Amino acid sequence: MSLTHEPAFGVYLHWPFCLSKCPYCDFNSHVRHGGIDEARYVRAFAREIAATAERVPGRVVSTIFFGGGTPSLMQPSTVEALLNEIAKHWIILPGAEVTLEANPTSVEAERFRGYRAAGVNRVSLGVQSLDDTSLKELGRLHTAREALDAVAIARSIFTRYSFDLIYARPRQTPQQWATELRLAIAEAAEHLSLYQLTIEPGTPFFALHRAGKIATPDEDTGRVLYDTTQEICAGAGLPAYEISNHARPGAECRHNLVYWRGHEYAGIGPGAHGRLNIGGVRYATETEKRPESWLMRVEAGGHGLTVNEPLMTGEQADEYLLMGLRLAEGIDPERYQKLAGRPLDEKRISILKEEGAIESMADGRLRVTLSGFPVLDAVVADLAA
Ligand SMILES: C[S@@+](CC[C@H](N)C(=O)[O-])C[C@H]1O[C@@H](n2cnc3c(N)ncnc32)[C@H](O)[C@@H]1O
Ligand code: SF4
């Protein structure tokens, strides 16, 4: 599975606005009833792109990702202007993957054609569920019918599209999930993101969960839900290439592979993260999260950076494990050794192998097994220790 111009360079742009806040979500997303001055944001994004390009000039951009928040609230002309700004400072590889995250409402689907004309060639739709009662409970503003209509519009305009579903929802049984997933696969083309509901601290779901008002499946049911997901997707030709992402071979999201393979990416916009390689040093960057504060910082100083830290070799090695072991292709122990300055601990490897949590592949790469994935965090912690 090698899908990128190597070394890959991705550009992530964060659009931090949503029409309403979903009660489970802790992404950097904000509701602004007074409207958003898109032209002012375009000018600020342009300045931050220019400032980043000054730090990492001459890059060939292989992937671009408009994430959020809800990027499908942007006017197509805004998306076009941002792509033009990227092209002014870097070379965009012919055939680069350009993804936009979209909420599946009818209003947003009307903009899809405009996004394609602007240069977007892949959309990722937040369908979340195909059950109307669950969609209400998740605070979504669309019905299942509306979401499927948006998927159909996406299919008629883009050759590449994906959608997200959240499972392990309150009261959801493995049988219900299996039926919903089969329905989803019938509508999917090449890619599906399937996330287990996480109760994130600070969200309304967290408070409800603590008060005993919503219950998520217990560990055993969670495990059955996960296994059901793997079985049905693999059977339909959409195996997991990452712990929560499924694709037909060759249709993986190349932008997300940039993160998981530890390549370089620029993070532009409020609350965006980046990893930049400058003079042999890898920098972790983060920008101001609050949109208005980010805007003021960029207008005053040309960028919204709040974090710009060189990563120590150990940190880089840990990050490589943390990201790389999410992938079905696993990690290259030699690359780990180069980053860490020491090899992985053979003893720990053999214990984890005996437990059936990891395995070596014919080419020497190391990967987490299907039964190891549900305890991925523990496996990573063990190997990194
Ligand atoms: C940046 S968000 C959403 C994009 C878009 N705004 C939407 O809601 O359709 C990306 C995805 O993360 C998933 N997600 C967000 N919060 C989650 C949570 N607490 N548990 C599981 N998945 C979550 C959802 O599937 C969502 O589509
Ligand atoms: S799930 Fe999507 S629409 Fe809902 S608040 Fe989060 S980013 Fe916004």
Side-chain angles (χ1 to χ4, degrees):
M1 182 176 71
S2 182
L3 290 161
T4 48
H5 169 84
E6 303 281 341
F9 180 72
V11 178
Y12 176 79
L13 302 110
H14 191 79
W15 190 254
F17 304 111
C18 291
L19 283 185
S20 68
K21 185 84 190 171
C22 304
Y24 54 86
C25 176
D26 80 337
F27 280 82
N28 185 34
S29 61
H30 306 263
V31 178
R32 295 290 180 261
H33 294 295
I36 292 138
D37 183 349
E38 285 194 30
R40 191 171 166 199
Y41 276 93
V42 168
R43 287 193 294 276
F45 270 83
R47 286 197 67 184
E48 198 165 60
I49 290 167
T52 311
E54 239 172 72
R55 302 187 68 199
V56 286
R59 298 294 192 268
V60 178
V61 178
S62 45
T63 64
I64 298 171
F65 196 101
F66 292 92
T70 307
S72 54
L73 294 176
M74 279 190 264
Q75 294 306 317
S77 56
T78 296
V79 172
E80 187 181 2
L82 297 181
L83 289 173
N84 287 341
E85 290 301 325
I86 294 173
K88 258 192 217 166
H89 298 279
W90 290 302
I91 295 161
I92 300 182
L93 188 73
E97 177 187 272
V98 183
T99 305
L100 182 133
E101 263 180 0
N103 279 28
T105 72
S106 51
V107 179
E108 288 162 286
E110 278 174 20
R111 299 192 193 107
F112 286 179
R113 210 167 282 285
Y115 294 142
R116 196 184 72 170
V120 172
N121 52 29
R122 182 177 183 274
V123 283
S124 172
L125 295 145
V127 171
Q128 319 306 3
S129 166
L130 295 177
D131 171 65
D132 282 340
T133 309
S134 301
L135 284 171
K136 265 213 182 98
E137 196 172 23
L138 291 170
R140 302 296 293 180
L141 300 177
H142 53 86
T143 60
R145 183 68 265 153
E146 201 176 357
L148 289 177
D149 288 346
V151 169
I153 295 171
R155 184 186 301 129
S156 70
I157 295 173
F158 298 96
T159 45
R160 299 191 65 198
Y161 71 90
S162 173
F163 58 88
D164 300 353
L165 292 176
I166 296 179
Y167 70 103
R169 304 189 304 258
R171 301 177 309 283
Q172 192 179 34
T173 65
Q175 290 75 11
Q176 286 168 339
W177 169 233
T179 308
E180 189 176 353
L181 181 55
R182 288 203 177 91
L183 204 66
I185 287 173
E187 299 287 338
E190 53 164 35
H191 192 286
L192 273 178
S193 300
L194 305 169
Y195 301 109
Q196 292 213 24
L197 176 64
T198 312
I199 304 294
E200 302 285 1
T203 61
F205 264 27
F206 189 79
L208 288 171
H209 192 253
R210 207 172 30 191
K213 294 195 175 140
I214 50 170
T216 43
D218 60 28
E219 205 175 298
D220 288 345
T221 315
R223 184 61 196 259
V224 175
L225 286 162
Y226 180 79
D227 291 345
T228 306
T229 307
Q230 306 313 312
E231 221 176 276
I232 295 179
C233 287
L238 290 162
Y241 67 98
E242 189 264 353
I243 186 161
S244 307
N245 283 279
H246 297 253
R248 301 204 186 287
E252 295 83 0
C253 173
R254 284 177 233 157
H255 183 80
N256 286 339
L257 284 175
V258 170
Y259 304 148
W260 296 320
R261 286 178 172 165
H263 291 300
E264 187 179 31
Y265 55 97
I268 311 286
H273 291 220
R275 290 288 181 275
L276 302 176
N277 303 331
I278 303 168
V281 178
R282 186 161 170 89
Y283 285 85
T285 68
E286 268 175 61
T287 52
E288 163 63 42
K289 288 174 96 168
R290 235 184 85 78
E292 293 75 12
S293 312
W294 173 84
L295 203 52
M296 285 193 293
R297 272 176 187 262
V298 179
E299 287 172 351
H303 65 79
L305 285 179
T306 51
V307 174
N308 180 40
E309 297 286 338
L311 286 174
M312 302 295 122
T313 51
E315 290 171 314
Q316 277 190 57
D318 286 351
E319 197 165 275
Y320 179 55
L321 279 186
L322 191 71
M323 301 306 264
L325 287 176
R326 300 172 65 104
L327 289 170
E329 70 182 20
I331 57 141
D332 173 4
E334 279 177 23
R335 182 165 166 204
Y336 176 86
Q337 186 168 343
K338 266 196 206 125
L339 289 172
R342 62 174 169 91
L344 284 163
D345 185 333
E346 280 304 331
K347 230 192 247 148
R348 284 174 200 275
I349 291 184
S350 49
I351 294 172
L352 286 167
K353 278 186 180 167
E354 269 168 38
E355 288 169 351
I358 59 171
E359 62 191 3
S360 287
M361 290 181 281
D363 59 0
R365 295 180 74 88
L366 198 67
R367 71 170 175 196
V368 174
T369 60
L370 269 191
S371 53
F373 268 131
V375 290
L376 177 65
D377 291 349
V379 175
V380 171
D382 206 8
L383 282 175

